[in-house]
Structures are given as structure tokens and as C-alpha cells.
Amino acid sequence: MHTILQDLRFTLRQLRSAPSFAITTILTLALGIGCATAVFSVIDATLLRPLPFAHQGEIVVPETLAIAGFHQPWSLPSYLDARQQLDTFSALAGYSTFARVNLEGPSGPVSLPAVKSTDNFFTVFGVKPLLGRTYLPGEDQPGRDDVAVLSYEVWQREFSSQTDVVGKVVRLDGKPFTILGVMPAGFRFPLQTIHAIYIPLHADPFYISCRACHWMETVGLLKPGVTLERSQANFNETFTNLARSYPASDTGRTVHVLPLQVSINKQAGAPLKTLGFAALALLSIACVNVAGLLLARGVKREREMALRAAVGAGRARIIRQMITESLALSAAGLGLGMAIAWLLLAAMRTFLISALARGIDVHLNLPALGVALLLSGLTSLAASMAPALRLSGTDPVLALRSGVSTGPSRSQHRLRSSFIVMQVALSMVLLSVAGLLLRNLASMLTTELGYPAEKILTTQVTLSPASYAGKDPIATLYQPLLDRVSHMPGVQAAGFINVLPIQNFGSNRDTHITGQPPYPPRLDVTAETRYVTPGYFDAMGIHLVRGRMLTEGLDPWQNPAGTVVVNEAFQRKFFSSGGDPVGAHIDDNDKAELKTTIVGKVTDIRQDFRQPPMAEMDYLATEFPPKDRIQMLPSMTLVVRSSGDPGQLIAPIRDALHQIDPTIPFQTPETMAQVVRDSLVFDRMENWLFGIFAGFALLLSLVGLYGLIQHEVTLRRRDIGLRIALGSTRLRVVVEVIQRVTLLMAGGIAMGWGLTLALQRILGSVVEMHAAHDAALLSGLTLALALAGIAASLLPATQAATIDPMHALRSE
Amino acid sequence: MAITESESLIHIEELTKVFYTDEIETHALSGIHLDIARGEYVAMSGPSGCGKSTLLSILGLLDTPTGGRYTLNGKEVANLDFAARSRIRNQEIGFIFQSFNLIGDLTVFENVELPLTYRSGMSTAERKERVMNSLERVHMAHRTRHYPAQLSGGQQQRVAVARALSGSPSILLADEPTGNLDSKNGEAVMKLLQELHAEGSTICMVTHDPRFAAHAQRQIHLFDGKVVAEGELLQLLADPAHNPSTTATL
Ligand SMILES: Nc1ncnc2c1ncn2[C@@H]1O[C@H](COP(=O)(O)OP(=O)(O)OP(=O)(O)O)[C@@H](O)[C@H]1O
Ligand SMILES: [Mg+2]
């Protein structure tokens, strides 16, 4: 104990006398530990930490697929049938998160995401409410279903955490609902739905019998002891039965039963793991760097160590001295690293919340601290191992043989050089990934959308159906709002659409063109279906190619058959073998005179950012008879094209909306450019993180390289002085240093390339690499890395060149 | 004066050297006159700090004088730029240092070859021949692949002599070449220098040891940055009030 204290005291004195060494080492450790801890916190919160549910091992998500293999939600009737037939579930709940509801709270109306579900929803999770109770069986039935359960956040924010909310009646979408209970903090489902209110399903009568309407998701709790395979078999059987009973709607539908954990992390899991590798790579760069620094310092202390050995210090004793030193450094690195982790997480917070289902749960907590502690301990041990072993082997004779210049030991140098090569290699890998990600993101952000995204302002208008009972929302709300907005100065065009491009897609219908042969069963024959007002096309800059546009005059709802315009993608999909879409009919009714007619063809825009435009057909919103409109169009998105700064329009639009209906919450408008950015939030987060890591890795490698060269130059002062004394020019000295750096960089880069290729499968979860396509980018990065390395060594190189040849004369 | 300026290899007039450090200026050399003829073997001695190494480094163009003239081989070299001095050093001067100063990372052969690698237009074969020649002259040709750390002190110094010889310099400059050696090895190095002198080399050697100084043709005594006669030196050394430090505060 005493000797350890002595070691420690000596260590602190040593570090004080070498502040730049201490600072570099501590910062290096802190960067490595900080990044690794931050990433661990994210991985912990999203992949490792148990879900906030009682029996999470038994909670499964039955994912339903259409015959063509794409994800297709449940229809209500087939859910009800399946619920009855399945015998492997304690509870299989159906829910939908499409809707938002307007809560008329004490401080004005707010729009909240609503999780509408069947009565057994809470049974699946087994979480006790904080206050009151959850649904009783049968409370999803009409007449008993005007009840609500609050999430903790809604209770806090909208009800100021009043403990007497249970039993109170609030108005949701204008209808009275009784509050049953409040869920505890941390409970939420679906996990990405924050600030939600839970209410029973309230399915429209139309949907109760519609087997072709797929809109419901399910989550289930397996009976105790039931395996995944059992429940999968159970599902297969049930779906076969359903297909037999309802061949028209249920043929070919399949289920894939996934554990909840797996289903949550489908998108983020693999990239996060890769990110974990990136953090480890950064940490090992830091570790290797610190090892190099310790080694460099060790060389300076070779004589000290030789002396210690000469006066009888055992090898173990010297190793302990070295390790004490590096542990002291890592303690400081740990403190600073935690601060860096905290800053990183704070900076990432918005990204995390919108990109990851459990992003809001990411905190720098005790497990993270534990991991940081472990990492810093391991890192410093690993880093001090090589130098300690080397130095403890210092020949005591060195102490006696003063004056004999043996030069820095060669093996030591080889070790440090290989450290540098490794660092450069790891940096190369991270840089390639970051570079490719950035390129992909940049090319996505500059994707030709076909309209000026910065100039188009959008806002969703969601009305309270109860307040519009018996009213036509188009006549009373949408059209009057449109009239006012259209006349605002700076507005070029304005319209409504029910599903905003980029933000949402997948509202589609199986489609068949009258007169064409039946399509093969496994073919995707869906067409996106939208309801719009005529101004929408102008606002988005979609123009007519053939036929005519839709107008209220020519296409009134009283017409027996509907009319649509289709886009060019629709023509490519359904008229690939020729023929004119304009004038064709869609097979949506048995009677010929009731089939929808295509009256025009318009240009394409992307509905989903990541795919080329999909086939789309657009109806006028006024297609529905006035009495059905409130049911079909409870929410529309206003699209306004402005000639100037769209921000200027926000206040006038809000005023216009509230003049017409003050109970409707105004949702902050976003430009289409913002909508695009929102849809890329995961990509942006990935990019941001890998960018930071690559930057840090590069920085650490350059610091390492600089340190090595600087150290070599210091050690070789006499050698270099001697060379100059023997006639070497300064240029030649610089060239020799740079040659050495070039060799190290070349080795590192070659190894980096090897690693990148070897890791391609893992990296593929983050970014795809195509050697030919990415060659220019990757060789650019390679060159940049090489130049950065040479630049980092210029300073020590010039230092070397200015060494006084007199050093050669004077014995040290 | 026995030698005229034209036949001397080295001619120095009124040479001074002042070091400025912090607030102190040290007059290391104050007005040196010296001629060294081709083929001469000169020993330089004097008390510690009297300026021997400083003079030798100026002779070897490692350093520039503060004032005075220096003609080497008929060329004025006192105020050349760095690159020109490098070239002359490489071609005309061979150094032998007290602490051998071999590069630990290079083999014996590579150490000896080093000055030649700084010359352009010499073929590998010629370099090899020269290196082997000079190693043979110091009887070290059998150790070409060893590293300096694997040699004894005397052997290292012989390799250092070989390196000085390899470029066929006009003059060999040696600063206490025996300082780190025991007397037996010291004698061997002295014998080597004498052989080289006999073969025609010009040598200027700094040494403390009067026995070794006696090997030389001519002895020069430095005291307090000046050349003094031998008798004068003994007198000065005997005077305790006269210490060899010439500092003046600014
Ligand atoms: N770079 C320098 N800066 C300042 N003073 C110097 C420098 N080099 C030498 N001196 C001073 O110049 C004087 C002469 O030094 P020099 O090394 O030539 O002595 P020396 O005769 O070789 O001594 P020794 O026999 O101990 O080697 C000394 O006083 C020394 O302190
Ligand atoms: Mg000296």
C-alpha cells in the first residue's frame, strides 16, 4: 500500500513536469472513452436495456405480408377472426396510430398522437397504471368506448399532474371522453409514439366489415411456455383458414412472428452495432496512441529505468510503476470522457428522439458510467502493457555505459511504427464510411424533386370530427381556408392533399385496368391513391401531359362514376405494353357505368424519397358525397407555394385558420425541404455520428503520427546533426523525414483498404460500397489522408532540418 | 613565418567567435591566427573551456566565425551559406568525434558510407570500394555488418575514423578522439592517425593528453580563446588568479 502511494506521488510529480505529454494523453483517452460511452448509451437504451414491459420475452409482433411480399397491415375483420382462432396468445391486441386527436385542454386545443386499440391492449404489456385503471374487457365496444388512458407526459403537460384527473371528462375531437387512468413514466407503445393518448379503436362502421382495408397493426402476448415456432405454426394454420374462407381478400397473406425486440430494431439494429464497432475502432486508435505516447516517454526515461534496475528494482516493480502512471492518466481521461459523452448525447438528442424508437430513453446513466470505467481501465492497461514490458527489460548496463551512442532501439521503433500504421488503417476505414455516407446523403438532399422544396410550405389541418358532425368539412373549413390563403400576398398557389408526398406513402389500392387480362397473382398491382383539391397540382408544380385536369365543374360528386388523373409512372406500370391511359377505366365496380374514368395524365413527383415515383391516381376531395366527407377527410395537408420567404406566411395562415375554427390546433408548418430532412433523420444521424468519429479518428491519428515523428526527431537529434555535419543538406533531412512518413502512411492506407474490404459485410449495414462507382471518392479520401499525414509531419521535419550540426560535436 | 598563404591548406586571420546567451556574451575565440599546411599533423591543447572545440568546429565549417578570415584550400569560406558549407564539409573535411557518433540504426558499412551518399554522381561500386578501402585501413573490414552497439569503444572509434576517411577529405579534424577510450585503445587510435599521416593525410587533433600531443608534428596551445606559446601557457596555468573565463556582462 505504501509503495503504491509512493508510486502515485512519483507519478503525479512526473506528469506535472511533462504537462504537454499529460494533456495529450488525457485528451486522447477522453475522446476515445467519451465517444465509446456515448455510443454505448445509445446501444444500451435501444438494444440492451429491457423494454418497459412486464413479460417482454413473450411479447411478439406478428408482421403481416401481402401476397407480393410487402408489409400489409391487418383488416379489422380478419384480426377479429384470428383473435378467436389463435390459441397461443394470452392477448393479441390490434391498434392504429394513424390518427391525431384534438384535446381541448385548459390552455387551448392541442393535437396529440392517439393510439387507438382493442380492449386487451394493456394486457399485452402487463404494466400497472400509475393512477386509475386501464380498459376493461368490452370497453372497445360502441357505447362503452368513450374512455381514455393518459400517457405520463400528457398527464404532466396537459393536466399539470393533477392526481384527481381519473373520472374527469375531457373533449377529444369535440366528443366527451372519461379519463380512466394514467400510465407510469417510461411506458409507451408504439415506442416511437411520445406524448400519446390511448383510446379504444372507434372503428368506422365501413371498416368493421371491410376485409380489403388493411390498416391495423397487432402486438401480442404469448401464453406462458409457448415458443415462437409454436405461435408461428398457429398463425400459419389460422391464415390458411382465413384464406379458405375469404379467398378474395386473404389469399396469399402470410405472417412473420417476430419478438418485439427484434421488430423494434429492424432498421436501426445493424447500423447501431456497426456504430459500436466504429466507437471501438476509435477507442483502439486512442489506446494505441496512448501506448505510443507512453513508449515515447519511456524512451526518454530509459536511463531512469536502467538506473532503477541497476539499484535493484525488480521487473514487476517497474511494470507496476508504469501501470500506476497510466491508471492515473486514465482516471483523468475518464472524467473528461464522461463530459465529452454527455456533450455528444446532448448534441444528438433531437436526432435520437426522432430517429430511434427508444431514442428518448438514451441517458448517461450508471451502466454507462460502469462501461466507461471498464473501458478506460482496459484501455490504459492495454496501452501501458507494451511500454511497461519493454522498459522493464531495460538493460541496467545502459546506466553504466554513458556516452556510448547506440541510438534509439530499433525494435521500439518498429513497435511504434506499427501502431501508427494501425491507426492510419482504422482512420481510413472510418473515413471511407463517413465519406460514402456523406456523399449518399448529399446526393439524396440534392435529389431533383421537380419543385422548389424551399418555397413550398405545408401544414396538416386536423379537425375534430365531432364538432363537424353533419357538416361538410370542405365547405365549412378546407375551402374557406384555401380561399383566404390563396389571396394572401406572396402566395402563388395553394391546395390540399390527404397524404403529403415524402412524409407518407403506402395509401394504395390494388388496381386493374378494364379490358386488360388478369394480372399474375404475385405481381404488385397497387396504385397510390390520393384526394386533392385542384390547387394542389399548381402548388407542387405538377402539370398536365395529356387529357384534362380535374375540376369541380366537370367532376361533381353527383356523377355516377368517379374520375381521376394518373401520373406518368401509372402509365409505365399499367400500360407498359402500350395503350392510352386517358379514357381508360379502372375496374373498381362491377357495373361498367360506375367504373372510375381516367381523364388526364400528369407529371410525376416522388411520394417516397427513397424510390422513384410510384404509380398514382388522384381524385378530387369533393369526389365524396358531402355527408361522407367528415369520415373520409378528417385531416388534410395544406400545400402553399410562395413567391418569397415562406416563413412570412406562417402567422397569416394561423390567423386565417383560427378565424374559421379556433378549436383546431395549428401545427407548425414545414417547408417541403424540411419534410425531406425529417424523412432522412436516421441517415443524417448516421452521417453525423460517423462523420464525428472519422474526424476524431483522423485527428487522433495525426496527433499520433505527429507525436511519433516529433519524438523520432528528438531522439535522433545527434544522428541528424551528424548527418548534417557530414554534408547532408537541410532539404535532404526534410525529404528523409517525409519519406519515412510516406512509407508509414502508405502502409496504413493499404491496410485500411484491406480492412475496409474485409469488413464490407459489416459496413454494408451502414453503407453500400461499389468499388467502381466510388473509386473517385475513395481515392480522393486516400489522397487527402496521405496529405494530412505529410502535413502533420512537416513541423517536426522542419525542426529536424534546423538542428545545429554542432550537436554532433558535443557529447550529450 | 615558414609557410606562405598560398601553400597552406588552412589560413586563419583575426578569427573571433562570440556566443550570446541570455544576457551574457562569451568570447570563445578572440583573434586567432593559424596556418596549417598540406600534410601537416597538428595537435591542439589547452585547458577546458579555452575554445578548442569551438575552433575545430569553425575549421570544420560546422559553425561560422563572428569575425576574421578563413581560407580553406585557397577559398574564402568564412561566410558561406548553409548549403555551400554542407558541400564543402562533405568533400573536404573528415570528422572524428570524441563520442564516436556512429548512428545506432546503421551498420558499420552504412555508417562509413554515409558521407558518400550525400555526394551525387558516385556509383554504387565506387562507393563500396571506397568504404571497403577505408575500413581496411582501420582494420575493421571484417565487421561490416555489425551494428555499433555490438562493437567495443576502440572498434567504434576506428569505424568513425574510417567514415572520416571514406570521402578522401583534405583534412581530418579530431576532437579528443581518445577521450572515451582506455589507454590501450587510445594508443591504437593514435597509431592509426600516425599511419594516416605517414600516408599523406593532413590532421588537426584536439587532445588533453601531452603524450598523445607529442605524436604530432606541431603543437598549438590555446588559452582563453587565443593561441599562446608553450612557455607562456605553463606560466598562465600556474597563476591561480587567471581563470579561463572571458565573460562580460552586457
Ligand atoms: N553554444 C554555445 N553557447 C554559449 N557558449 C558556448 C557555446 N559553445 C561553447 N561555449 C563557450 O565557449 C567557450 C569555449 O568552449 P569550447 O567547447 O570550445 O571549449 P573546449 O576548449 O572544447 O573545452 P573542453 O576541453 O572542456 O572540451 C566555453 O566557455 C563555452 O562555455
Ligand atoms: Mg571540447
Side-chain angles (χ1 to χ4, degrees), chain A residues 133-412:
Chain A
R133 61 170 179 86
T134 55
Y135 312 137
L136 295 177
E139 250 174 345
D140 56 354
Q141 296 306 310
R144 295 178 60 194
D145 60 355
D146 290 337
V147 291
V149 174
L150 306 180
S151 67
Y152 187 80
E153 301 87 48
V154 166
W155 177 59
Q156 261 194 327
R157 221 207 269 183
E158 313 304 336
F159 296 90
S160 327
S161 308
Q162 295 156 6
T163 45
D164 58 352
V165 285
V166 176
K168 278 200 174 151
V169 173
V170 290
R171 295 186 83 78
L172 293 180
D173 281 348
K175 256 173 71 180
F177 277 69
T178 306
I179 296 178
L180 291 181
V182 176
M183 292 311 285
F187 173 86
R188 53 180 210 277
F189 194 87
L191 286 162
Q192 61 270 30
T193 313
I194 317 164
H195 291 290
I197 188 160
Y198 299 90
I199 55 179
L201 216 46
H202 290 272
D204 182 82
F206 171 71
Y207 289 122
I208 292 177
S209 54
C210 177
R211 286 194 175 267
C213 306
H214 302 288
W215 54 276
M216 193 182 199
E217 300 291 351
T218 56
V219 58
L221 177 68
L222 294 176
K223 281 185 180 159
V226 170
T227 62
L228 218 56
E229 294 74 41
R230 253 269 290 122
S231 93
Q232 178 71 55
N234 193 202
F235 257 116
N236 293 347
E237 191 189 342
T238 308
F239 268 53
T240 313
N241 291 341
L242 283 176
R244 206 174 302 130
S245 315
Y246 309 99
S249 56
D250 287 46
T251 299
R253 273 170 59 83
T254 49
V255 185
H256 191 44
V257 185
L258 293 176
L260 180 58
Q261 268 294 5
V262 174
S263 116
I264 290 168
N265 295 316
K266 258 200 328 212
Q267 187 203 7
L272 279 180
K273 278 179 203 151
T274 310
L275 197 60
F277 285 123
L280 285 184
L282 189 65
L283 190 65
S284 42
I285 291 179
C287 179
V288 161
N289 230 347
V290 170
L293 284 165
L294 287 173
L295 209 54
R297 207 170 132 66
V299 171
K300 278 188 201 143
R301 292 170 61 193
E302 214 154 30
R303 194 144 281 159
E304 173 206 325
M305 293 300 172
L307 253 166
R308 283 169 180 266
V311 299
R315 194 161 182 172
R317 185 72 181 65
I318 291 177
I319 291 181
R320 209 179 63 200
Q321 167 69 44
M322 295 289 295
I323 288 177
T324 308
E325 209 174 292
S326 81
L327 283 179
L329 288 168
S330 80
L334 174 68
L336 199 60
M338 289 304 279
I340 289 178
W342 186 86
L343 281 175
L344 263 179
L345 289 180
M348 277 159 56
R349 191 147 182 85
T350 355
F351 272 145
L352 289 173
I353 291 175
S354 40
L356 299 173
R358 303 175 72 189
I360 200 166
D361 302 327
V362 175
H363 300 292
L364 208 56
N365 51 11
L366 262 179
L369 181 68
V371 164
L373 200 69
L374 192 75
L375 287 179
S376 64
L378 286 179
T379 309
S380 62
L381 274 186
S384 58
M385 220 18 103
L389 287 179
R390 266 215 58 77
L391 272 183
S392 65
T394 304
D395 188 352
V397 176
L398 256 187
L400 310 176
R401 267 207 190 155
S402 65
V404 179
S405 159
T406 55
S409 108
R410 276 181 301 281
S411 65
Q412 194 121 348

Side-chain angles (χ1 to χ4, degrees), chain A residues 718 722 724-726 730 808, chain B residues 82 89-90 101 104-105 118 163:
Chain A
R718 257 160 56 105
L722 186 63
I724 295 177
L726 295 177
R730 298 210 149 123
Chain B
F82 188 91
R89 267 204 309 272
N90 184 253
N101 268 347
D105 285 336
Y118 297 131
R163 181 180 62 197

